Amino acid sequence: MATHQAAPGERAGLTTRSRITDRYAGLVSGRRTKWAVLLLWLLLVGVGGSLASKLGDVQDNDPATWLPSSAQSTQAVELAEEHFADKDSSSAVVVYARGDGLTQADLGEIDADRAALAGESGVGEVAAPAVSEDGKAAFLTVPLRTHPSDNKVLTDGVDETRAIAEDGAAEGLDVRIAGEAGNIADYDEIYAGMDGALLGAALAVVTILLLLTYRSPVLWLIPLTAVFLASQVASGVVYLLAEYAGLVVNGQSAYILLILSVGVGTDYALLLIARYREELYRHEDRHEAMAVAVRRSLPAIAASAATVGIATLCLVFGSMNSTRGLGPVVAIGVVVVFLAMTSMLPALLVILGRWPFWPYVPRHEPGAAAAPAKAGVWTRVAGLVSRRPRAVWAVAAAALAALALGTMTVETGQTQEEQFTKTVDSVAGQELLAAHFPAGSSAPAEVYVRDGGADDALRAVQDVSGVQSAEAAGSRDGWTRVTAVLGDAPDTPAAKDTVERMRDALDDAGGQAADAVVGGRTAVLLDTADAQADEEMLLIPLILGVVLVMLVLLLRALVAPLVLLASVVLSYAAAVGAAALLFQALGYPRIDRGLLLFGFLFLVALGVDYTIFLMTRVREEVRTRGHREGVLAGLTVTGGVITSAGVVLAATFCVLALVPTVTSLQQGLLVAVGVLLDTLLVRSLLVPSLALHIGPRVWWPGHLEAAAERPAGDPVSPARADVGV
């Protein structure tokens, strides 16, 4: 059988890379050096574990700080802090309601609460209570002190406010804490301690799946231990960067770091252990077997980690601090997990020997070229792809395209009521306000304008449809603040439309009124949505470009990377469409706009993992078997590993459903659906059948063809089918 002859330059490059890989493989699996590797990781875990517990102390969940500096709402925050002493302040709205009307005792209690709150440290001036026209509700607006990196300051203030308001309240008087401060406090309560719960749940899910995968009562403990230790080191590194380098970490990025570390780490472990198991049949010395396994699996794992890491680092070019912070957090997790799975895990496996594979211990068979072959599901899948590649890819592509039609049902713009899967105080308080006051009373829009344009700005705002009332709320340092109560709840599309009309009206007002900026909670939500749309336009093409370049470098071809990139995009569209239909069935049809970029990043970056695992093995097989047989052999050998990895990753992200927020539920389901589609349909059927249909030209401009093609319809009989999976 003919073999591919590399050019001199290619041989030299491969020799250099091979030398580095050989040394690394020998280091992590050496008879003496394995102990040094393990000791180094134990030291890192000792330091990282102590720091990981402090990650919650450096989280910043203030939504206003995530906006780009050019947004009007951000400028409004800066003006409020500079001229109106609103720095590090957030308003809680204490809502009182009684179904048959507030009594004089209730009103007296509200006045007493106002006096008590005004005397608390960390509380600003508390205005007189507002009473509804129907006499059934009233509210107090309580400015509370915040801290830019410690939400506990605000949540403690909310707890004290709640305690004062509820203490002495007469029976039947409903008391709720709404407003921005109440909303932040509810989120903080939900995420408090969630890191540990999520990590525990993720590890439990992975444990069950690894037991089913390895069918061993012992083996699953080794990768799971390595993954857990790696996640602690990653969290420790993120803490140091957040504490001393200004990295923005919020509750979302913190739990994504944990889930991603477990999911990706398990993927890498499955790939390495499957290859190690193969080599144990070939080598009597487990150190030699591990060295070969690391050497042969390292390129795929390294390429995967590099692609995911670089793709996520593209987020630093985003508009919002939350986006820019998420990129480094995820990249750090991927890098640490990669290092752990290619050094700590091999060292642990070699130290423990073959017995953890019990009862299916791979025994060395002298003279055997490989592990015993066995016919399995992936042999049958390869046979199907081999017989009718054109029909297989056409059906797979049509199924994905049909699911992609579901994207037309996607609705963005979640309201506060739609953000939680359970009833929280801030939502209940907002509902009470909307029932008895103009819905925007809890968070009026704020206009900041130079004194010379204040009158014109006030008139312009009062004439805007959707504004219930507007008044000048004070002047200082040459600036006037105008507050406008909107008729709609602050997080609804109608309220955002009103803010846009206010901005247009001020632009048309002329003079200094035209330079006014509109802020407040509704403006923050509007500017966030606009910033997310801008980020999608910039970051999605950038991430696709990174993935394409990495695939070109890895496969040293142009046609294959373009085909693979198209499959990734189609898979993402199908995942969004399928998830949108699922969200509607669950009763959560609207999504936060940021979910689209989140889903794209993780489904493309993680989906390309399985492309890399498949195509690097296919490329290896093609060089010795020829194109057709190599594609089928690569599919057969990696099918079980990729499927196991995909199921583990999908199940891990489903753990996000434990967080009682709709966004977390949707994030987990979107990634899980996308990963399963990518694993079971795209990598198993679409990609290999396309590779067969296109033929050796898929490697253009390279020439990997090394053997004569087998007759069409004759399924491959790979030497190592479904080993260890």
Side-chain angles (χ1 to χ4, degrees):
M1 189 160 52
T3 57
H4 167 66
Q5 298 294 323
E10 182 182 355
R11 286 199 302 270
L14 288 172
T15 300
T16 301
R17 288 192 293 272
S18 297
R19 188 181 302 116
I20 295 173
T21 303
D22 287 348
R23 289 178 178 175
Y24 183 82
L27 175 68
V28 301
S29 60
R31 297 181 185 277
R32 294 185 180 87
T33 53
K34 63 189 178 188
W35 296 103
V37 170
L38 182 59
L39 178 61
L40 175 61
W41 273 103
L42 290 177
L43 292 174
L44 291 174
V45 170
V47 176
S50 62
L51 296 176
S53 61
K54 301 179 181 179
L55 186 57
D57 297 338
V58 295
Q59 293 181 19
D60 184 0
N61 295 310
D62 182 1
T65 64
W66 299 358
L67 290 170
S69 58
S70 59
Q72 278 199 36
S73 54
T74 305
Q75 297 176 42
V77 169
E78 294 170 350
L79 288 169
E81 292 178 350
E82 181 179 358
H83 301 290
F84 293 89
D86 284 351
K87 184 175 179 59
D88 296 335
S89 176
S90 179
S91 293
V93 178
V94 186
V95 186
Y96 304 84
R98 185 182 291 276
D100 54 358
L102 297 174
T103 66
Q104 288 300 316
D106 292 334
L107 295 174
E109 177 62 29
I110 294 172
D111 287 332
D113 288 347
R114 178 195 176 198
L117 289 168
E120 289 289 315
S121 61
V123 176
E125 182 180 352
V126 182
V131 181
S132 63
E133 292 183 1
D134 60 11
K136 295 180 179 181
F139 70 85
L140 292 171
T141 301
V142 184
L144 297 176
R145 185 166 60 90
T146 66
H147 190 280
S149 60
D150 186 2
N151 276 345
K152 192 173 185 301
V153 173
L154 178 61
T155 55
D156 286 348
V158 171
D159 289 342
E160 292 172 4
T161 301
R162 179 179 288 108
I164 291 173
E166 292 179 348
D167 184 31
E171 184 178 354
L173 182 64
D174 195 0
V175 180
R176 303 285 181 173
I177 309 296
E180 181 185 61
N183 187 244
I184 294 174
D186 285 337
Y187 269 107
D188 192 74
E189 180 182 355
I190 284 172
Y191 287 116
M194 188 57 68
D195 291 353
L198 285 175
L199 181 59
L203 291 176
V205 168
V206 172
T207 296
I208 295 171
L209 293 174
L210 288 181
L211 278 169
L212 296 174
T213 299
Y214 291 130
R215 301 184 296 278
S216 166
V218 179
L219 183 59
W220 63 273
L221 277 169
I222 303 172
L224 202 64
T225 299
V227 166
F228 171 75
L229 297 178
S231 70
Q232 296 302 291
V233 174
S235 295
V237 174
V238 171
Y239 165 78
L240 290 175
L241 292 177
E243 178 70 14
Y244 301 107
L247 177 65
V248 175
V249 181
N250 54 43
Q252 183 187 68
S253 57
Y255 71 67
I256 288 173
L257 171 66
L258 291 175
I259 297 298
L260 188 73
S261 296
V262 173
V264 172
T266 306
D267 278 3
Y268 295 164
L270 285 166
L271 187 66
L272 177 70
I273 293 175
R275 199 66 189 249
Y276 177 47
R277 193 168 198 166
E278 286 186 49
E279 300 304 328
L280 285 174
Y281 285 102
R282 298 191 181 97
H283 300 275
E284 184 174 6
D285 187 341
R286 66 181 187 275
H287 298 85
E288 293 179 5
M290 180 57 77
V292 175
V294 172
R295 185 167 64 248
R296 292 188 175 178
S297 61
L298 186 61
I301 297 176
S304 167
T307 302
V308 176
I310 296 174
T312 53
L313 281 177
C314 291
L315 297 184
V316 300
F317 298 106
S319 303
M320 300 186 296
N321 287 338
S322 58
T323 303
R324 291 197 294 266
L326 180 61
V329 168
V330 173
I332 290 167
V334 170
V335 170
V336 172
V337 165
F338 161 73
L339 293 174
M341 295 303 104
T342 58
S343 59
M344 176 169 54
L345 178 61
L348 281 171
L349 288 168
V350 174
I351 288 170
L352 294 173
R354 295 173 185 257
W355 70 268
F357 288 92
W358 183 86
Y360 302 100
V361 179
R363 304 294 184 185
H364 171 57
E365 300 179 6
K374 60 179 180 179
V377 62
W378 293 104
T379 303
R380 294 192 290 273
V381 171
L384 172 65
V385 171
S386 171
R387 289 189 295 272
R388 299 184 179 277
R390 180 180 299 180
V392 169
W393 76 253
V395 171
L400 292 171
L403 289 174
L405 294 176
T407 57
M408 294 186 294
T409 67
V410 172
E411 300 178 56
T412 60
Q414 279 182 352
T415 65
Q416 181 181 350
E417 296 175 0
E418 298 168 333
Q419 291 173 357
F420 300 91
T421 58
K422 67 176 186 179
T423 301
V424 296
D425 214 38
S426 59
V427 171
Q430 177 59 43
E431 291 173 347
L432 285 176
L433 280 172
H436 301 285
F437 296 91
S441 299
S442 64
E446 298 175 344
V447 179
Y448 294 88
V449 60
R450 292 284 186 182
D451 288 345
D455 292 338
D456 292 336
L458 180 58
R459 283 192 294 270
V461 169
Q462 288 173 332
D463 291 338
V464 171
S465 173
V467 174
Q468 289 288 332
S469 62
E471 62 180 1
S475 180
R476 190 175 300 174
D477 301 333
W479 286 89
T480 296
R481 173 160 58 186
V482 174
T483 58
V485 176
L486 308 184
D488 300 289
D491 49 8
T492 58
K496 295 173 187 176
D497 291 342
T498 300
V499 169
E500 288 186 323
R501 289 193 294 271
M502 288 172 60
R503 288 175 173 174
D504 291 339
L506 289 167
D507 288 341
D508 295 338
Q512 291 182 317
D515 297 326
V517 296
V518 181
R521 183 177 175 190
T522 304
V524 166
L525 296 173
L526 173 63
D527 291 340
T528 298
D530 290 343
Q532 288 170 337
D534 292 341
E535 286 181 337
E536 291 169 14
M537 297 296 293
L538 170 67
L539 295 178
I540 287 179
L542 187 59
I543 292 170
L544 286 176
V546 167
V547 171
L548 178 61
V549 169
M550 295 301 294
L551 289 174
V552 168
L553 293 175
L554 176 67
L555 301 177
R556 280 164 265 168
L558 288 178
V559 175
L562 289 171
V563 170
L564 296 175
L565 194 69
S567 73
V568 167
V569 173
L570 179 59
S571 177
Y572 167 71
V576 173
L581 296 175
L582 182 59
F583 298 159
Q584 290 197 14
L586 292 174
Y588 305 116
R590 271 195 281 269
I591 66 170
D592 178 78
R593 181 64 181 263
L595 181 65
L596 297 176
L597 180 59
F598 173 93
F600 180 85
L601 171 69
F602 284 95
L603 289 179
V604 170
L606 296 176
V608 82
D609 267 7
Y610 306 127
T611 297
I612 290 172
F613 294 166
L614 170 66
M615 295 306 289
T616 51
R617 188 59 181 261
V618 165
R619 194 174 190 278
E620 178 183 334
E621 298 291 343
V622 167
R623 294 178 69 88
T624 57
R625 295 170 177 265
H627 177 75
R628 182 176 174 280
E629 188 175 348
V631 170
L632 297 174
L635 170 62
T636 305
V637 175
T638 64
V641 178
I642 291 177
T643 301
S644 298
V647 171
V648 168
L649 189 63
T652 304
F653 267 88
C654 281
V655 171
L656 292 181
L658 295 176
V659 182
T661 65
V662 174
T663 297
S664 297
L665 173 68
Q666 292 176 336
Q667 287 173 345
L669 291 180
L670 174 60
V671 174
V673 168
V675 167
L676 290 177
L677 283 175
D678 206 72
T679 303
L680 301 176
L681 192 58
V682 177
R683 303 309 148 215
S684 302
L685 299 175
L686 181 63
V687 168
S689 59
L690 276 172
L692 284 186
H693 181 71
I694 296 171
R697 291 170 297 179
V698 77
W699 306 107
W700 185 88
H703 299 283
L704 283 183
E705 186 68 338
E709 291 295 302
R710 298 173 62 89
D714 186 11
V716 68
S717 180
R720 300 173 300 281
D722 300 332
V723 175
V725 180

